[in-house]
Amino acid sequence: MAKTFENEFEIKKEMLKNSETLKENLSAFIKETVRNQFRKDGIVIGVSGGVDSAVIAALAVDALGSDRVHGLILPEKESSPSSRELGMDLCRALKIHFEEVPITPMLESFGIYSRKEALIRELFPSYDPEIHTTSLTRPPLIAGGKSLIIPSLVLLKDREAIGTKRLSASQFLYVLSLQNVKQRTRMIIEYMHAEKMNYAVCGTTNKTELLTGFFVKYGDGGVDLEPIANCYKSQVYKLAELLHIDPRIISRSPSPDTWSHFTSDEEVSLRVSYDILDQLLYAEEHNLPREIVQQSTKLDMQQIDWANKHIISLKNAARMLQVSPPVFQ
């Protein structure tokens, strides 16, 4: 018999029910996994100043105690100063031990900044990192439905855009390879600290990011446990409220924080807001009818089709990141 739905069924409301129980179950999962399964003495967390790592840190304190949680603040010269400030404030509020390990010297030794600057000058010959900042941009998916796979590079001066150039496929892949080194370098530092302390490295990837491939393989995806990988981003925000996370963190716009000017997760990588994306993913998971999706998201049917097509392409790409390496038998 087909499942029936109330006229006022709301996807987000359904998604967020039982959040208090979810919080308790996640804390129990962390405790069981770290102490009994891994037999580790605690957890290392890369604290970014974002909501995901903040929720993980708070859950870990609930599960293990503040003395068993070690935070790492891992800034680099293109990350926002507010990330460092918010990360440190969070650690102090939770009373957890933390260290700051700037990764700029490592990235400089790899030639990340010089290579990136050379690429930018191919598009903007006048580029000067002392006076200009850069970011990526793409038009929202539901505004037109066109599949613009490659974003554009924006050059800014005094926070005002002064030029925009579309990247070629090869340019985008090159800059992506450079940017991803930042996440992988952070993970090297996290494991160095975790192994000397007999701690587990805790990931911060949520379900929305996992399903859409919005993580770096062997970077933020290379961890020992992923407590919120079955929680949509909307659920993470609700958990943040229940855990009394700093409102400055909760209200902060999501960003990879790897460009010298703010670059939006939702605009560049996902091309749709987390709020809408979560509802579409949840509807697919639970086989909800299109009428319910339209009612909950306020999108028209064509926009829903555009978004679902985009989600399919993201999920197909994500599978390559999620599989274990093939082994010859």
Side-chain angles (χ1 to χ4, degrees):
M1 183 177 179
K3 186 175 181 179
T4 59
F5 299 90
E6 299 292 335
N7 290 335
E8 296 303 318
F9 183 90
E10 295 179 21
I11 294 175
K12 192 168 182 180
K13 184 177 180 180
E14 184 73 11
M15 187 190 308
L16 298 181
K17 72 179 185 181
N18 303 321
S19 294
E20 188 68 51
T21 300
L22 174 63
K23 177 175 75 73
E24 295 171 1
N25 290 342
L26 289 171
S27 181
F29 167 80
I30 292 172
K31 184 175 182 179
E32 165 65 23
T33 303
V34 173
R35 289 188 172 175
N36 299 331
Q37 183 175 338
F38 292 161
R39 299 192 180 279
K40 296 291 185 179
D41 295 328
I43 271 182
V44 164
I45 301 168
V47 182
S48 67
V51 68
D52 297 305
S53 64
V55 164
I56 289 294
L59 288 170
V61 168
D62 284 348
L64 305 170
S66 59
D67 60 327
R68 298 289 182 176
V69 181
H70 190 75
L72 286 171
I73 314 293
L74 304 167
E76 49 100 7
K77 73 176 186 179
E78 290 189 311
S79 54
S80 171
S82 63
S83 299
R84 175 179 179 272
E85 177 187 348
L86 290 171
M88 288 184 171
D89 287 349
L90 175 78
C91 292
R92 293 186 184 107
L94 294 174
K95 296 181 170 60
I96 66 175
H97 305 291
F98 71 93
E99 295 178 59
E100 180 183 8
V101 184
I103 64 170
T104 298
M106 286 163 271
L107 298 177
E108 286 176 334
S109 71
F110 297 148
I112 298 302
Y113 300 118
S114 60
R115 293 169 190 264
K116 182 177 173 183
E117 288 167 10
L119 174 62
I120 295 171
R121 287 194 182 95
E122 291 180 16
L123 298 168
F124 300 104
S126 63
Y127 171 68
D128 181 348
E130 296 297 322
I131 61 174
H132 296 127
T133 56
T134 54
S135 69
L136 295 182
T137 185
R138 274 202 291 183
L141 178 77
I142 59 176
K146 294 182 180 179
S147 181
L148 298 178
I149 299 174
I150 309 302
S152 296
L153 181 71
V154 182
L155 185 70
L156 304 101
K157 182 179 180 181
D158 299 326
R159 300 186 178 183
E160 295 291 332
I162 60 174
T164 302
K165 294 285 183 69
R166 180 83 179 276
L167 294 171
S168 68
S170 61
Q171 288 170 332
F172 176 61
L173 290 175
Y174 183 52
V175 77
L176 188 65
S177 73
L178 298 176
Q179 296 295 85
N180 286 350
V181 173
K182 298 179 180 184
Q183 306 293 358
R184 294 186 176 115
T185 300
R186 289 187 170 107
M187 196 51 59
I188 290 172
I189 302 299
E190 289 182 38
Y191 268 98
M192 181 181 72
H193 282 76
E195 288 173 353
K196 73 179 181 180
M197 300 169 71
N198 193 38
Y199 277 20
V201 174
C202 191
T204 62
T205 302
N206 59 61
K207 187 172 186 174
T208 311
E209 294 167 345
L210 184 68
L211 290 176
T212 59
F214 191 46
F215 60 92
V216 177
K217 191 172 185 178
Y218 306 125
D220 51 342
V223 295
D224 294 320
L225 67 157
E226 289 277 24
I228 59 171
N230 201 30
C231 301
Y232 289 108
K233 187 77 169 187
S234 300
Q235 293 175 296
V236 175
Y237 279 117
K238 183 62 177 180
L239 289 169
E241 294 176 9
L242 295 175
L243 291 162
H244 308 292
I245 298 300
D246 188 334
R248 294 177 300 165
I249 293 177
I250 296 176
S251 63
R252 196 178 188 210
S253 298
S255 170
D257 202 22
T258 55
W259 288 85
S260 54
H261 186 80
F262 175 77
T263 298
S264 168
D265 289 350
E266 296 172 315
E267 178 184 339
V268 175
S269 299
L270 303 174
R271 297 193 66 200
V272 64
S273 71
Y274 274 110
D275 182 67
I276 296 296
L277 181 57
D278 281 353
Q279 293 185 71
L280 293 169
L281 290 170
Y282 186 92
E284 179 187 36
E285 179 183 0
H286 296 275
N287 298 312
L288 301 182
R290 285 159 55 88
E291 292 74 21
I292 291 295
V293 176
Q294 184 179 36
Q295 173 184 298
S296 294
T297 63
K298 309 305 180 187
L299 301 178
D300 60 42
M301 290 300 184
Q302 187 176 42
Q303 289 174 323
I304 292 171
D305 289 340
W306 286 339
N308 281 333
K309 183 178 180 180
H310 178 59
I311 288 170
I312 290 171
S313 68
L314 290 175
K315 292 178 77 171
N316 287 338
R319 291 189 181 98
M320 288 299 296
L321 300 175
Q322 297 166 0
V323 298
S324 299
V327 176
F328 175 75
Q329 300 293 331

